[in-house]
Amino acid sequence: SVTTGSGNIIIGYNADTPLATTSNHLNIGDTIYGDLSSGNIGIGTAAPTQALHIIGNLRVEGATDCILGNGSGATNCTSDERLKENINIIDNALDKIASLKGVKYNWKDKENDQSLRVGVIAQDVQKVFPELVITNDDGYLAVDYAGLVSPLIEASKELRSENIALKSEIGELKIAQLETDKSLKELSRQVALLNKVTGNTGGNKASMGIYLALALSLFGSIAGLVLITRRRKQI
């Protein structure tokens, strides 16, 4: 029971203040509490430290049903395939994600927390993912940050596919290079053998012809590498 405290609002059977000297305290049925001097409201805690301080999970129902963890649990929202229709894979996700800017910023309103923040620009998101942007009651754009996870997943898969294709192309180029090196060694051996048989040491026309053939073979190998690269780009 209160002895010296004042300014308390107590509602409910056997509801009371934490201490006999407590002032400016709200207690509704030992469930909802408030610090009337700060305006903080608590659910599950008699000493709220934030505007809304909840001990336990918070469930929010709307288009989806979400349960926000109590600090040790995860935040889960309904995503069951049985509840969905018109399901389509996000196309060109990598290009769309690449068009967004990850930025650091401060709020212009000095009444807001002025610590450095990170995020995206709503107008940029609206251009590629309009379904993730809404206009709030004040006329400003707001972003569904959790919704960006889906295109990020598809963008990473696109990067993986490109990486696999590049590894395959590099493998083909290495094989082509080995074949070219092998041909060059064989041609060099034949030139050396021809020079030995003919006793040529001055580079006569016969040797020049062999060297020309060597150069043409090398050119053909390089052209083959270029064709492989172009074909891969077209796939």
Side-chain angles (χ1 to χ4, degrees), residues 33-35 38-43 45-54 113:
Y33 304 90
D35 182 344
S38 67
N40 293 339
I41 298 296
I43 299 176
T45 174
T49 60
Q50 302 295 324
L52 179 60
H53 187 164
I54 298 174
D113 184 356

Side-chain angles (χ1 to χ4, degrees), residues 2 24 32 37 49 77 98 181 213:
V2 178
N24 301 315
I32 300 175
S37 60
T49 60
C77 295
D181 292 344

